[in-house]
Amino acid sequence: MEFPAFLDEVPDGLRGRVALVDGVLHMSAELRGNLEMVSFFGRLRRRGILTYEFHPPKDFDAKYAHDAARSFRGENAIQQFAIELLSKAYEAGASDIHLTDFGPYTLIQFRCLGMLNDHTHLEGDFGRQVIACIYQTLGQSGDACFSPSERQDGRICKREYLPAKVHSVRVHSEPLESALSISGVGISMALRLLYDSTSATGNLETRMGLLGFSKSHYETVDFLTRRTGLTIISGPTGHGKSTLLKHVMEAMVDRNPGKAFYSIEDPPEYPLKGVRQVIVYTKEQLERFSAYVDAIAGAMRADPDVLMIGEIRYGASAVAAIDAALTGHAVWATIHANNAFGIISRMISLLAKHFEKPLEHLCDHNVLSGLEYQRLVPVLCNECKIRMLDIPENEREYFIPLDVQQRLIRRAENIENVYVRGEGCERCNRRGLSSQTVAAEVVATDQAMLGFLRAGNTEKAYEHWKIEYNGVDYVQHALQLIQAGTVDPYLAEERLGVPLDFNHVLSGGHRK
Ligand SMILES: [Zn+2]
């Protein structure tokens, strides 16, 4: 456990001018000979901090101002540890932190490139204190008190607790059955670090290119940004829906400075340049639903051109999205679904309580413009990836299971350029992977397609998209990435959640 216990004792006169980084005390040079400093360092030496460095004040500000602020602000060691944890996760490129209290100990894991890795273990009491501190002291939430036996949500958005580029952190905790714990209850806490790891800027084509979309994806989305009506982005949690939405909105703002952009998110995931982000006020979990729908109605009265609805979660927000589209607005939203056409059935289940014939309302050509689905797949490290055909045939199975090989051969046109994950190297932190990219499908609706959908014939709509628009589904997109040597076939299957020879039409998978 590495937390500096002396932090509270920093004399006021030295605050912000000293920083402790990895056991070395860094000081701004004007403190040289300062009596307060001499006696402070004397105390540190007795605690085992033996190394120090002076820096010209300018250099200190440039290099250590952030650490100085962090290291010496914490109320106590536990808070300090929690703040450092966020910072370490960010530096490791993690999207999430998992803290699991099993009773005798708490396991801390980071999710990097979609995969969970152990970060450290804490002793039981300390671990529970860190968990409570994250929720109670760092976070802001409806319930001020952390209760291990309840499901709770919160959010960290105070700048002083967050690494510079992290916009906010979403906090969620669940009680766990735990035989090892004295109380019988363990805790699973998940922290989602909200930041844009791509930091793409520029026009829509550049931004989408950096996120991994193909030229044809871009062309379809670009077409959709010029239409009114509802476009819905879908995919599992943590697969980049909000990131795409952010870039679409910002690119639209750049192109149309004369339009009014509003967003309703609960809570906002990213700051959106040029977009008015309406705050959803909620006190209790129960009020959340009506507060969200209220905020949408409010934004509608504010004379918007483009409306972004962070996530369609309730029937009433689905109805509001349809109303906004019907009244001639461009509406962009996200939803959880299993693929682009799967958005229809998800929306229908939300709308069923509100409309007698929900399909008629949704699949109207004034309403539904676009459907998108995406998953993130890991990109192989260029330095250490291995060409599949260079691996002797009898050893290939160690790198890629036989059944995956068979499916790949069945579906791929060319396996010359297929690469698999290597041992890992310096460049990729021994992960064998360098980043993530999307496997996506984008559909712009037309009258014929909407006609099939209204009749409940999703297969026909899907075929129409394939034939008339050369529609490439997300599994095919992933296959293209595999054949280009960008993505490992085995990891791709794992991350897509379906086999590479998955056939949407035969399985009826798009109706799930
Ligand atoms: Zn590597």
Side-chain angles (χ1 to χ4, degrees):
M1 249 168 279
E2 35 163 336
F3 57 89
F6 63 87
L7 292 182
D8 291 342
E9 304 159 26
V10 179
D12 285 344
L14 305 177
R15 283 191 186 222
R17 307 312 296 156
V18 292
L20 187 79
V21 178
D22 296 332
V24 179
L25 185 73
H26 297 271
M27 295 174 276
S28 182
E30 82 267 11
L31 295 177
R32 213 184 272 274
N34 178 315
L35 284 182
E36 218 172 2
M37 191 66 231
V38 172
S39 97
F40 178 57
F41 189 61
R43 292 209 305 276
L44 293 189
R45 285 186 66 90
R46 288 192 288 278
R47 291 171 189 263
I49 310 278
L50 301 176
T51 325
Y52 64 90
E53 279 176 32
F54 279 107
H55 303 272
K58 263 193 184 165
D59 293 0
F60 181 87
D61 285 338
K63 264 192 180 157
Y64 298 106
H66 183 60
D67 291 306
R70 279 192 296 150
S71 307
F72 296 95
R73 196 180 277 124
E75 274 172 27
N76 55 45
I78 291 165
Q79 183 172 342
Q80 190 53 42
F81 181 89
I83 294 171
E84 290 284 323
L85 184 66
L86 295 178
S87 164
K88 281 188 179 147
Y90 171 72
E91 277 154 27
S95 57
D96 305 78
I97 307 171
H98 289 221
L99 299 100
T100 315
D101 162 32
F102 291 101
Y105 69 96
T106 295
L107 171 66
I108 301 184
Q109 295 165 300
F110 290 170
R111 186 185 290 281
C112 298
L113 301 178
M115 277 168 256
L116 276 179
N117 305 298
D118 289 4
H119 172 64
T120 187
H121 289 81
L122 303 178
E123 281 171 34
D125 275 338
F126 185 65
R128 278 186 290 278
Q129 284 167 339
V130 169
I131 289 177
C133 168
I134 290 173
Y135 185 83
Q136 224 159 266
T137 313
L138 268 46
Q140 297 162 335
S141 61
D143 326 309
C145 245
F146 178 69
S147 157
S149 55
E150 280 172 55
R151 175 170 300 127
Q152 288 184 307
D153 285 291
R155 189 173 172 225
I156 304 170
C157 40
K158 273 203 188 139
R159 275 263 55 92
E160 61 200 273
Y161 300 144
L162 298 169
K165 285 195 176 157
V166 174
H167 166 52
S168 65
V169 174
R170 211 157 54 199
V171 182
H172 180 79
S173 78
E174 291 277 342
L176 293 182
E177 187 72 45
S178 170
L180 292 175
S181 167
I182 294 166
S183 63
V185 178
I187 310 162
S188 161
M189 176 178 265
L191 309 178
R192 160 68 49 86
L193 275 61
L194 296 167
Y195 60 98
D196 181 6
S197 57
T198 62
S199 42
T201 53
N203 62 24
L204 186 61
E205 184 168 12
T206 317
R207 288 171 187 253
M208 285 187 65
L210 284 168
L211 297 179
F213 289 92
S214 70
K215 175 119 176 139
S216 115
H217 288 142
Y218 152 70
E219 284 165 356
T220 313
V221 172
D222 184 57
F223 169 71
L224 290 168
T225 62
R226 293 166 203 278
R227 270 176 83 165
T228 57
L230 174 61
T231 295
I232 307 177
I233 291 168
S234 68
T237 305
H239 282 253
K241 294 190 295 288
S242 310
T243 309
L244 172 64
L245 199 49
K246 168 195 149 82
H247 289 292
V248 169
M249 292 297 282
E250 289 191 344
M252 278 165 89
V253 168
D254 277 351
R255 209 176 54 204
N256 306 294
K259 284 190 176 173
F261 293 79
Y262 283 83
S263 83
I264 302 100
E265 299 162 276
D266 179 26
E269 300 218 346
Y270 300 121
L272 299 169
K273 241 171 98 188
V275 178
R276 300 166 206 182
Q277 295 178 275
V278 175
I279 294 174
V280 179
Y281 286 103
T282 49
K283 289 203 184 72
E284 297 290 331
Q285 200 72 16
L286 285 174
E287 288 175 19
R288 199 161 229 176
F289 146 87
S290 58
Y292 194 66
V293 176
D294 252 22
I296 300 175
M300 283 292 292
R301 289 194 296 274
D303 185 26
D305 294 291
V306 182
L307 205 60
M308 165 181 149
I309 299 172
E311 192 187 328
I312 298 183
R313 252 175 291 181
Y314 317 106
S317 50
V319 173
I322 289 181
D323 279 348
L326 257 183
T327 45
H329 300 94
V331 185
W332 290 73
T334 70
I335 202 168
H336 285 273
N338 284 340
N339 54 63
F341 285 100
I343 291 170
I344 308 280
S345 48
R346 181 85 189 93
M347 281 291 282
I348 295 304
S349 68
L350 289 173
L351 292 167
K353 269 192 204 149
H354 299 263
F355 295 125
E356 204 174 306
K357 293 181 174 167
L359 265 179
E360 302 271 319
H361 287 268
L362 177 65
C363 302
D364 179 305
H365 74 276
N366 288 310
V367 173
L368 192 62
S369 305
L371 304 164
E372 194 262 2
Y373 178 80
Q374 65 181 58
R375 276 185 176 252
L376 291 178
V377 287
V379 173
L380 287 166
C381 169
N382 267 330
E383 300 291 314
C384 60
K385 65 184 182 183
I386 306 166
R387 190 168 164 269
M388 189 177 79
L389 294 181
D390 290 344
I391 304 169
E393 212 158 327
N394 54 352
E395 287 173 27
R396 228 172 266 167
E397 207 188 340
Y398 299 121
F399 292 85
I400 162 167
L402 263 181
D403 58 323
V404 183
Q405 286 183 47
Q406 284 159 359
R407 286 193 286 274
L408 176 67
I409 289 163
R410 215 162 27 238
R411 281 301 295 274
E413 282 149 28
N414 186 342
I415 56 164
E416 283 294 307
N417 240 337
V418 171
Y419 281 77
V420 297
R421 186 185 191 173
E423 300 279 289
C425 65
E426 297 274 297
R427 272 289 276 286
C428 59
N429 287 324
R430 310 255 151 233
R431 285 185 188 133
L433 305 168
S434 65
S435 61
Q436 296 189 97
T437 190
V438 291
E441 55 194 32
V442 191
V443 180
T445 63
D446 65 14
Q447 300 242 30
M449 197 188 293
L450 289 167
F452 296 134
L453 290 171
R454 270 199 305 278
N457 197 340
T458 318
E459 282 86 353
K460 200 88 199 217
Y462 179 80
E463 272 163 28
H464 175 80
W465 170 62
K466 286 252 159 180
I467 294 162
E468 299 295 322
Y469 297 96
N470 265 327
V472 174
D473 66 50
Y474 73 98
V475 181
Q476 286 175 305
H477 184 207
L479 268 166
Q480 291 171 357
L481 296 169
I482 292 167
Q483 293 176 76
T486 310
V487 172
D488 176 297
Y490 178 58
L491 291 177
E493 270 201 350
E494 208 175 64
R495 206 63 77 76
L496 294 177
V498 292
L500 291 174
D501 57 357
F502 187 72
N503 186 315
H504 281 72
V505 173
L506 288 180
S507 72
H510 55 290
R511 280 181 305 171
K512 268 182 211 157

